[in-house]
Each structure stands twice: as structure tokens, then as C-alpha cells.
Amino acid sequence: MSIDKDLLDRLMEGRSAGDLFGKEGILSELTKALAERALTTEMEEHLGEERAEEAPGGENRAPNRRNGSSQKTVTTDSGKVVLDIPRDRNGTFDPLLIAKYQRRFPEFDRKIISMYARGMTTREIQGHIEEVYGFEASPSLISAITEAVMEFKLVRASGSNSPGDCLKAQNVTAWQNRPLEPCYPVVFMDAIRVNIRSDGAVSNKAVFVALAILPDGTRDVLGLWFQANEGAKFWAKVLNDLRNRGVQDILIAVVDGLKGFPQAIEAAFPQTQVQTCIVHLLRHSMSFASYKDRKAVATALKAVYTAVDAEAAEAALAEFEDSDLAARYPAIAPSWRRAWNEVIPFLDYPPAVRRLIYTTNAIEALNSKIRRAVRTRGHFPSDEAAAKLVFLALNATSTEWKRSVREWHAVKSQLAIMFEDRFPMA
């Protein structure tokens, strides 16, 4: 809906462009006028509903009516605004626009949370608000707003039922414990490192992230887990958490050589195929080779992971082991042999599926967004503080990482054939 130009001209009459923003700007006046008009409309609807619902035997009782107004200073995007909040005689009016004990418009809180999620510190947010909006927001206020993410629900987008919307609909604790789908076609698992203070000392902890592909091709983060050291015991805890939240089956789990993971997933999900990230295995191999030999090593190893089947791959690896390159870099071939049981499942898949599980880049791209947010923090005071920021970073970038997988239709068809009755119907 466009605004009438004559109305805009009347609003701007006698004002300059510099009078638009700031404490005394026209935007602040418009915010006050529109808010008070909305509150008046809410009061009229409230009184009308009470009269309609009044019991038949209450004819002699005086109907509820207006009872003046009270002033409240509210923080908005354009600064602090003093609103005249209408009152009713029975004291039953609780406006939706700005609730009884609310002192900030929701949009203001969302902007604070958005800046925090993008890596700005509390002091940086304070300076930004003062510079742009012309008023001071104390560090304690900013902390209180971001802490609300841990305690209260955010509003779900109207009409949206996507699993990923849980990031918007729930607080961190509820999101981490929410029910999950019975089966996920593919789950990527990886970790980032953050510094967290515990018992008076700062330790480097891993934040493990599980990124799943749903049957419709969209992505969803299943949870976050903090641990100083990975191992079979830790992974058993993670996988049992997934089972307790409703996961009954995972078709393919793609990991980056996570210690103890194959044994743990075999115990929790015996039918799951564990696939090591081929790209990470290649990078590990390249770290042993000198720069001038890397191209030759990459070419030799490509014959292994692009082989038509496991038998051909075995032959290609054996050929590499007998080559001069393997003699110069004796650590490369054994690293492939150690991971061989997690490499060969890759060779059973058709090209469309291979392209999807060839690398954990999907989750690495997500982790890069998380790293960007946590980079400005020297360390976190607790696991909960780190979880809050990671949660907000996921929420802020959800439109990017939740996008559907490319060529999913072809991948889905192949997985449905390979896994038959195990593949979930979208």
C-alpha cells in the first residue's frame, strides 16, 4: 500500500531532511501517533468483546469503560517514546502491541539479537545503538535481551511448519530437546573449537554439530554437544540423545574421521553406513607431500575414490603403494588403509549420491558462519553462553544453510532404490 504524497507533504511541512530521525524527529512522532492509535483500537475492541460476553443476569452492573490513560516510556527502533496507554475501569485491558510490563517493542529486541548473532560484542552493540538511534542502551539491558533466548519462546513465523523453524520458535533448551524425525537419509557431523571458562580456567572445547538432510531435501541442525575430547563414550551419549528424541534410523552418516564414532553408531544404529569425508582424507594425505609432488599424489589417489567399485579401488590403492610416491611419503597409504572400511561404502553409490557425500563441505559452510560469530569472543563464561551465541548464529543464517540440496530429486531416487523400505517417505 502506497502512502498518499499529499499526506507526506503535510507531514514534512516546515521540516528539513535532518528532522526525520533522532529523539525529536518526525519518525519518533509518527511512532508515538501510530502506536497510540493502535492502542485506542485495541481498547475499543476489548470493551466491545466484554459487552458481548457479559452474562444475561448482569444488566444492572455498570459496563466496563475507559478510565483515562497512563504514560509509559517505551524503547523503539527510533529511540525512546512516551506513550499514553489507555486504561479501563475494570483493569482487564492488556494490550497486545505493548504488554503491561513490557518496555521495549519486539522489533528492537530482534535487532539486538541479530547484531549479537553476527558476532558483535555487548559494548559494540551499545555503541551502535547510541550512534544510530541516539540513545544509550546499557550493557545489562543488552545482556538481558540476549539472555531471553535461553528462557523464553520466540514467535514462529505465521503458517510455517518446517522443522528448521524450531530455531525461531523455541528457546535453546527446548530446541536442543525437541522431538526429531524417525529417519534421516543423510547426517553430517563435524566440530568447531571454542574457548570456555570452567572451574577458573579456560579450556578449549569442541562444539559438535549434526546437520541432517530431510526426506524433502531441506537441511536441519539436530543439535549441539560440548565436549573437551571426543571418543566412543562421548559419541554413544550423542547418539543415545538422538534416539531418545525419536530418531530410529540414519541411512548414511558422513564424518571427518571422528574418533570412536564408527563403533558408537554401530551400537546405536546398526544399519547405518558410516562414510568418511573423502576430501578430508585427501587433505590429510596432501599434508605429507611436498608442494611439487602434490599434483601427482592427488592424481594417484583420485584413481582410488573414483573407481567403479571396491575391487577396482583396492587395485588402485595397491598400485599407489608400489609406486615411488608411496615410498617417498610412507604415511599416506596407511592412512587410507586405516579408514578403508569407511571409504569403501562410498564406492557402492551412484554418481549423484557420491557428489552429495563426497565431502562434509555442507556442514563446514555452516560451521564457518558459526566461527565468524564466535571469533570476536576471547572465551565464553560457560557452555550455556556459547550455546546461546551458536544458536543465534544458526538462526540468523538459517535462510542460507536450510536451502534444499541441489539435484536432490536424483539423489532421493537412488537412495530410495538402495535402501528400499528404510527410506522415509517425504
Side-chain angles (χ1 to χ4, degrees):
M1 182 184 69
S2 59
I3 299 177
D4 185 81
K5 291 184 178 180
D6 292 336
L7 173 60
L8 292 175
D9 290 340
R10 290 198 298 274
L11 288 171
M12 287 298 298
E13 188 175 348
R15 300 176 186 268
S16 65
D19 295 330
L20 288 174
F21 307 104
K23 295 180 180 179
E24 307 299 330
I26 187 175
L27 189 58
S28 180
E29 294 178 23
L30 281 173
T31 300
K32 175 179 170 64
L34 289 171
E36 289 180 350
R37 182 69 187 90
L39 289 167
T40 299
T41 302
E42 278 198 62
M43 174 61 83
E44 291 171 355
E45 291 181 358
H46 171 71
L47 295 177
E49 288 172 0
E50 282 208 346
R51 282 192 291 270
E53 294 172 1
E54 204 169 83
E59 294 84 356
N60 297 327
R61 189 172 56 195
N64 193 13
R65 60 186 181 185
R66 296 175 182 274
N67 189 31
S69 63
S70 58
Q71 289 191 332
K72 178 192 284 190
T73 301
V74 180
T75 302
T76 72
D77 291 347
S78 56
K80 292 186 182 294
V81 175
V82 179
L83 297 180
D84 290 323
I85 309 293
R87 297 180 305 194
D88 64 331
R89 181 158 296 215
N90 293 346
T92 55
F93 178 56
D94 187 8
L96 296 175
L97 179 67
I98 185 78
K100 280 186 177 180
Y101 303 106
Q102 191 176 348
R103 291 284 177 178
R104 303 180 304 273
F105 274 118
E107 280 302 319
F108 179 79
D109 285 16
R110 292 190 190 102
K111 282 184 171 55
I112 296 288
I113 290 172
S114 177
M115 286 186 279
Y116 189 87
R118 282 166 171 77
M120 294 179 68
T121 65
T122 299
R123 297 291 178 182
E124 288 171 341
I125 295 172
Q126 181 187 25
H128 179 77
I129 291 173
E130 188 167 3
E131 180 180 346
V132 174
Y133 301 115
F135 67 93
E136 183 178 350
S138 67
S140 59
L141 170 63
I142 296 168
S143 296
I145 292 172
T146 56
E147 283 298 328
V149 177
M150 301 294 288
E151 299 168 6
F152 301 109
K153 290 185 177 181
L154 301 177
V155 178
R156 180 187 291 271
S158 177
S160 177
N161 294 310
S162 169
D165 282 339
C166 289
L167 284 173
K168 297 177 183 176
Q170 298 174 312
N171 61 34
V172 178
T173 303
W175 172 78
Q176 181 71 23
N177 295 309
R178 75 192 190 280
L180 299 176
E181 297 292 322
C183 179
Y184 291 97
V186 183
V187 174
F188 298 90
M189 291 195 174
D190 202 5
I192 63 170
R193 288 278 174 178
V194 295
N195 293 320
I196 297 176
R197 180 174 290 278
S198 178
D199 298 326
V202 176
S203 60
N204 188 254
K205 284 190 175 182
V207 183
F208 291 91
V209 183
L211 176 67
I213 298 178
L214 280 72
D216 63 358
T218 57
R219 300 179 176 96
D220 187 22
V221 174
L222 304 185
L224 307 170
W225 296 269
F226 291 79
Q227 181 73 8
N229 298 298
E230 62 190 75
K233 185 176 180 180
F234 167 70
W235 283 113
K237 176 183 176 183
V238 170
L239 294 168
N240 284 331
D241 177 43
L242 295 179
R243 288 196 69 89
N244 292 336
R245 292 164 60 196
V247 180
Q248 300 171 15
D249 194 11
I250 297 171
L251 304 186
I252 305 172
V254 185
V255 296
D256 173 24
L258 297 173
K259 183 181 177 182
F261 184 82
Q263 298 87 341
I265 201 165
E266 184 178 351
F269 301 100
Q271 293 182 287
T272 299
Q273 290 191 0
V274 179
Q275 175 61 54
T276 192
C277 172
I278 301 296
V279 167
H280 278 82
L281 201 52
L282 283 170
R283 288 175 185 165
H284 179 71
S285 300
M286 292 301 106
S287 69
F288 294 108
S290 65
Y291 182 78
K292 66 183 180 64
D293 286 333
R294 285 184 179 179
K295 186 174 181 180
V297 172
T299 301
L301 293 175
K302 185 175 182 180
V304 178
Y305 64 83
T306 59
V308 293
D309 54 31
E311 185 177 343
E314 174 77 33
L317 183 58
E319 184 179 344
F320 173 76
E321 287 174 319
D322 294 334
S323 68
D324 292 339
L325 284 172
R328 281 200 296 273
Y329 308 111
I332 295 178
S335 69
W336 282 74
R337 287 293 183 189
R338 286 193 297 271
W340 194 243
N341 288 336
E342 285 79 51
V343 171
I344 54 177
F346 178 81
L347 303 170
D348 292 333
Y349 302 122
V353 180
R354 285 191 184 190
R355 283 193 292 272
L356 174 64
I357 64 173
Y358 169 72
T359 175
T360 55
N361 278 353
I363 195 168
E364 285 186 4
L366 175 63
N367 284 345
S368 69
K369 300 181 188 305
I370 298 173
R371 287 191 189 95
R372 197 176 305 144
V374 303
R375 193 175 296 143
T376 57
R377 308 298 197 278
H379 66 272
F380 293 92
S382 63
D383 289 358
E384 290 74 19
K388 177 180 70 173
L389 182 57
V390 173
F391 173 85
L392 291 173
L394 290 173
N395 190 27
T397 59
S398 61
T399 54
E400 301 171 39
W401 59 260
K402 279 170 52 183
R403 284 196 296 259
S404 296
V405 175
R406 293 177 60 185
E407 301 181 351
W408 177 247
H409 180 72
V411 175
K412 177 181 177 180
S413 299
Q414 294 293 337
L415 291 177
I417 294 170
M418 295 182 67
F419 293 96
E420 298 181 354
D421 56 336
R422 287 177 60 201
F423 188 85
M425 299 298 293

